[in-house]
Amino acid sequence: ATNFGRFLDLLGPKGHNVKLAGMCDQGEETAFRRAIEEGGIGSGLDRASMESLGFFVCVSDLEDELFRALGPDRFVDLIAAQGQLKKFRNFQNQPAHRHKTHHRQLWDWLGTHKLPYAWLMVAALPSNAVPPPLRGVLAQI
């Protein structure tokens, strides 16, 4: 997110003038919007106008969008399919995680396993469950 403006300058209207699309985490929305405006792609943007230009905001981030689209049961199925269900159960039973809700335990597990699970989550999504920001970006390319 911190280099987004630099890429917009290089690839956007001030540079190679390539049609661009992208998405950001909710926490980066203000910086993302500012970079789009400073890059000459739009002005006075709100979320809807950013989307009309091909830029989407994930609530709260892409992993959360994917996790909610899959649901906790399907995510546990992914853990099991990777042969890591026993490790996850051990993780759940650690004192730091025992008191947490099942949802929070899964979210914390994902936080330490983002890279191996990201593509698995996308691959497991039914086509009618693709999160709106991802669907929006894919429609632009």
Side-chain angles (χ1 to χ4, degrees):
T2 57
N3 291 316
F4 183 61
R6 185 175 308 141
F7 286 103
L8 286 179
D9 287 344
L10 176 65
L11 299 172
K14 296 178 180 179
H16 293 287
N17 202 26
V18 175
K19 178 166 172 40
L20 300 170
M23 64 182 151
C24 69
D25 296 347
Q26 187 173 19
E28 302 295 338
E29 182 176 2
T30 300
F32 200 66
R33 178 183 295 115
R34 187 177 321 113
I36 294 167
E37 291 177 347
E38 290 173 0
I41 297 173
S43 62
L45 300 175
D46 59 12
R47 193 175 288 185
S49 55
M50 284 177 31
E51 289 178 357
S52 72
L53 294 169
F55 298 95
F56 301 85
V57 178
C58 296
V59 179
S60 68
D61 56 26
L62 182 57
E63 294 84 7
D64 186 48
E65 294 275 1
L66 293 169
F67 182 80
R68 285 184 289 115
L70 282 174
D73 292 340
R74 183 69 184 114
F75 190 71
V76 170
D77 291 345
L78 289 179
I79 294 170
Q82 296 308 299
Q84 295 189 315
L85 190 57
K86 184 176 180 182
K87 284 184 179 181
F88 175 66
R89 297 297 184 220
N90 289 337
F91 175 86
Q92 285 181 298
N93 287 321
Q94 292 173 356
H97 302 290
R98 271 188 221 141
H99 68 283
K100 296 177 182 177
T101 65
H102 183 61
H103 178 94
R104 184 61 201 208
Q105 290 170 340
L106 288 166
W107 182 247
D108 288 351
W109 173 267
L110 175 59
T112 59
H113 296 83
K114 283 184 182 184
L115 290 179
Y117 281 92
W119 72 272
L120 293 169
M121 294 169 76
V122 171
L125 284 175
S127 59
N128 65 347
V130 175
L134 182 56
R135 187 177 337 114
V137 168
L138 293 173
Q140 298 290 318
I141 56 173

